[in-house]
Amino acid sequence: GESVGLHLPTLSVQEGDNSIINCAYSNSASDYFIWYKQESGKGPQFIIDIRSNMDKRQGQRVTVLLNKTVKHLSLQIAATQPGDSAVYFCAENIGSNTGKLIFGQGTTLQVKP
Amino acid sequence: NAGVTQTPKFQVLKTGQSMTLQCAQDMNHEYMSWYRQDPGMGLRLIHYSVGAGITDQGEVPNGYNVSRSTTEDFPLRLLSAAPSQTSVYFCASSYVGLARVNTGELFFGEGSRLTVL
């Protein structure tokens, strides 16, 4: 079955450093991947997405990398700020015509001042 | 613009009771879905809908019913609550393109925390 997993449950970084959050997926037919950020007590918020025909996509201070060979994607956050502290989820759209978005278990990012 | 609104925010039920979690969105999104979030489990898809009158099952549909009579509303019904349904429930919506494809950019509500005793 499909599964989306994150390598580390918790990541602690120093303010100003770059953060890298990793995610592995198992469904080679998946064609669309999304990163979400969830702050305490709130619903997840969309950060950035990437389609399977791309290797890299950049946003504001964030970059998503997709390696289809090893079924791995990562979220890079540049110059991490205290406001980046949250739980980060990768999600996999297992079929663009199914509407099924499958989430990983999440990585907690802690930013130390 | 309210976005996605869920009610109630908190609810305590006894085993066997029934209740409905309400979800409304004002963005004219065709796609709506319900997730549950448990500690260490991420978010799991319960049911989803790609438009009024159309619903389908997600990963964990048992014990839950949904209906979609309007574009704006997507209620989630628990017919006979069980302690295993203690969780935080999130409703989410998104735009569906011309090919009726969910874009993946889901807009989430603030969540409804349910405890079943």
Side-chain angles (χ1 to χ4, degrees):
Chain A
E2 301 87 8
S3 67
V4 180
L6 289 165
H7 294 308
L8 291 173
T10 302
L11 177 66
S12 184
V13 301
Q14 203 71 36
E15 181 179 356
D17 288 350
N18 297 333
S19 303
I20 300 176
I21 301 171
N22 296 303
C23 180
Y25 64 95
S26 62
N27 190 335
S28 56
S30 295
D31 59 0
Y32 183 57
F33 304 89
I34 313 101
W35 282 99
Y36 284 86
K37 173 186 180 183
Q38 186 177 28
E39 297 176 341
S40 181
K42 296 186 177 181
Q45 288 182 297
F46 174 91
I47 301 173
I48 192 169
D49 59 0
I50 188 168
R51 298 205 174 271
S52 58
N53 60 354
M54 302 171 68
D55 297 323
K56 178 180 179 179
R57 191 168 188 211
Q58 288 184 295
Q60 187 177 10
R61 280 202 306 119
V62 295
T63 301
V64 55
L65 300 176
L66 176 63
N67 185 330
K68 294 180 288 294
T69 302
V70 295
K71 288 185 278 190
H72 178 273
L73 68 158
S74 66
L75 176 71
Q76 300 179 2
I77 304 173
T80 311
Q81 302 169 359
D84 295 326
S85 295
V87 180
Y88 290 81
F89 294 95
C90 62
E92 172 186 13
N93 197 341
I94 63 172
S96 58
N97 61 345
T98 68
K100 290 186 177 181
L101 196 63
I102 306 301
F103 282 75
Q105 295 184 5
T107 290
T108 299
L109 178 64
Q110 299 174 338
V111 181
K112 297 178 289 185
Chain B
N1 193 340
V4 178
T5 303
Q6 291 182 233
T7 56
K9 286 185 169 38
F10 300 94
Q11 182 71 50
V12 179
L13 292 177
K14 295 181 179 179
T15 296
Q17 286 184 315
S18 62
M19 78 156 298
T20 299
L21 298 177
Q22 301 291 344
C23 176
Q25 52 91 11
D26 60 0
M27 297 174 282
N28 202 31
H29 285 163
E30 291 193 54
Y31 180 90
M32 296 186 74
S33 57
W34 277 101
Y35 285 84
R36 59 177 289 174
Q37 185 173 33
D38 303 298
M41 297 291 290
L43 291 99
R44 290 184 291 171
L45 181 63
I46 304 172
H47 286 285
Y48 66 99
S49 168
V50 296
I54 305 169
T55 63
D56 207 345
Q57 296 181 347
E59 302 171 86
V60 289
N62 293 341
Y64 307 94
N65 277 359
V66 292
S67 60
R68 185 88 181 275
S69 57
T70 66
T71 299
E72 294 78 19
D73 301 297
F74 191 44
L76 179 71
R77 298 184 186 85
L78 284 71
L79 302 178
S80 179
S84 61
Q85 294 178 304
T86 294
S87 188
V88 181
Y89 291 85
F90 287 98
C91 179
S93 72
S94 74
Y95 171 74
V96 173
L98 293 175
R100 300 197 70 78
V101 171
N102 165 250
T103 65
E105 184 174 350
L106 292 176
F107 292 81
F108 282 83
E110 294 288 293
S112 297
R113 185 177 295 275
L114 175 66
T115 301
V116 183
L117 303 175

